[in-house]
Amino acid sequence: MEMMQKKRNSQTEGMLLALMAALLWSTNAPLIKSLSMDATLVAGMRALIAGVVLLPFLRPKKIKWGWPMLAMMVFFTLQSLFIVIALQKTSAAIAVGMQYTAPVWLYLIAWLKGEAVSRNRLIPLGVLMVGVVVSMCSRSGEVTFLGNVIALSSGVWFALLTFSMQNVGGGNPLGIVSLNNIFMAAVLLTLCAVQGKLGALLTLNASEWVILLILGVFQFGGGYVCYNLCLRRISGTRASMITPLEMVLGPLWVAIFLHQYPDTIGFIGFLIITAGVLIEVIYTHQREKSALRQMEL
């Protein structure tokens, strides 16, 4: 009984951490859209700030170095960069919503690995894909086809990141987040230097620097710390039940603070994607509940 109670407490902590990650991530949309900087430079500076803030927590001896670690850092960089670009090139509802097509790609990963997957999951995944197709038809002034494709690809990278995070061991989650960000900053800022984009930093005003600091310290660094810690307590599927809250809050903050709204088609696509995520959440909850009952027996 004591072991079961500890497990429940750990799962509660994990779900609260996932909730905090979603809240912090949701501030991404209005903050990114408030900046006129190049997307690569924004992503690189945000990562640099987050990596430096968390650097004191890095414990190299507690990190398992190897190809899985490198893969995680690459997927982290791609997912983070693509969502920043998507937020600048399409509506917040589409940009944030598309990354939550990750369950579709996680399902495909499981299928390709030969794992047993329930056919019941095809229902939410089908709904998600319908939402993607409808969203692609949006003709809002801030929507571009390229932006939509980039947003959709962020869901692929998010799925691969979640998968790789669960396959990277070690007892230094905060250090791993720092390492991810430092790797990302090194890659993107080097690219910006080669392209001559670093000079734009000299033209930033005080408010833009404050936004970058908030993005790096809280939205990005804090969000991924919470997400990484939650995956130490709950499964990736259970975390995916909670983090889609970002999908609702992000566009809401953009509408409230920046007065930017999706068109009717984009909004319908967003609602369909939301419905697919909710169905996936319900399915995951039922499956996790059933597994817990079997453990108690």
Side-chain angles (χ1 to χ4, degrees), residues 45-61:
M45 287 302 298
R46 183 178 67 168
L48 177 63
I49 294 168
V52 170
V53 169
L54 295 172
L55 190 58
F57 296 99
L58 183 60
R59 303 288 184 269
K61 292 182 179 180

Side-chain angles (χ1 to χ4, degrees), residues 193-250:
V194 171
Q195 297 175 339
K197 296 177 180 178
L198 292 182
L201 295 174
L202 300 176
T203 65
L204 295 182
N205 57 41
S207 63
E208 289 173 319
W209 276 110
V210 169
I211 290 174
L212 277 177
L213 287 171
I214 293 173
L215 279 169
V217 177
F218 299 104
Q219 185 274 326
F220 204 51
Y224 270 101
V225 164
C226 291
Y227 189 62
N228 202 305
L229 289 174
C230 90
L231 290 178
R232 296 293 189 273
R233 293 164 172 79
I234 58 177
S235 66
T237 52
R238 176 160 285 196
S240 69
M241 294 165 53
I242 301 168
T243 50
L245 180 63
E246 178 201 2
M247 192 174 72
V248 177
L249 293 177

Side-chain angles (χ1 to χ4, degrees), residues 16-17 22 34 49 51-52 56 61 67 71 77 96 119 122 140 144 162 184 214 227-228 231 235 254 258 272:
L16 288 174
L17 285 166
S34 297
I49 294 168
V52 170
K61 292 182 179 180
W67 289 110
T77 299
V96 180
R119 292 184 179 181
L122 293 176
S140 172
T144 65
T162 298
M184 179 179 174
I214 293 173
Y227 189 62
N228 202 305
L231 290 178
S235 66
V254 170
L258 301 181
I272 295 174

Side-chain angles (χ1 to χ4, degrees), residues 101-264:
T101 59
V104 175
W105 315 117
L106 286 172
Y107 180 91
L108 289 176
I109 290 172
W111 180 73
L112 290 172
K113 289 178 63 183
E115 296 179 1
V117 288
S118 172
R119 292 184 179 181
N120 292 334
R121 296 196 68 189
L122 293 176
I123 297 175
L125 299 183
V127 174
L128 279 171
M129 293 313 297
V130 170
V132 168
V133 173
V134 173
S135 295
M136 289 289 189
C137 297
S138 173
R139 292 295 179 267
S140 172
E142 59 175 339
V143 172
T144 65
F145 179 77
L146 176 61
N148 289 352
V149 172
I150 292 172
L152 180 60
S153 68
S154 72
V156 178
W157 303 126
F158 190 51
L160 291 171
L161 174 61
T162 298
F163 177 77
S164 62
M165 273 183 157
Q166 292 182 298
N167 287 275
V168 173
N172 188 207
L174 297 183
I176 287 176
V177 176
S178 175
L179 192 63
N180 276 332
N181 280 285
I182 290 173
F183 176 86
M184 179 179 174
V187 172
L188 297 186
L189 293 181
T190 298
L191 181 61
C192 287
V194 171
Q195 297 175 339
K197 296 177 180 178
L198 292 182
L201 295 174
L202 300 176
T203 65
L204 295 182
N205 57 41
S207 63
E208 289 173 319
W209 276 110
V210 169
I211 290 174
L212 277 177
L213 287 171
I214 293 173
L215 279 169
V217 177
F218 299 104
Q219 185 274 326
F220 204 51
Y224 270 101
V225 164
C226 291
Y227 189 62
N228 202 305
L229 289 174
C230 90
L231 290 178
R232 296 293 189 273
R233 293 164 172 79
I234 58 177
S235 66
T237 52
R238 176 160 285 196
S240 69
M241 294 165 53
I242 301 168
T243 50
L245 180 63
E246 178 201 2
M247 192 174 72
V248 177
L249 293 177
L252 178 62
W253 305 146
V254 170
I256 292 175
F257 296 108
L258 301 181
H259 308 293
Q260 296 179 10
Y261 313 95
D263 64 359
T264 302

Side-chain angles (χ1 to χ4, degrees), residues 35-51:
L35 293 171
S36 58
M37 293 168 56
D38 176 79
T40 306
L41 185 56
V42 172
M45 287 302 298
R46 183 178 67 168
L48 177 63
I49 294 168

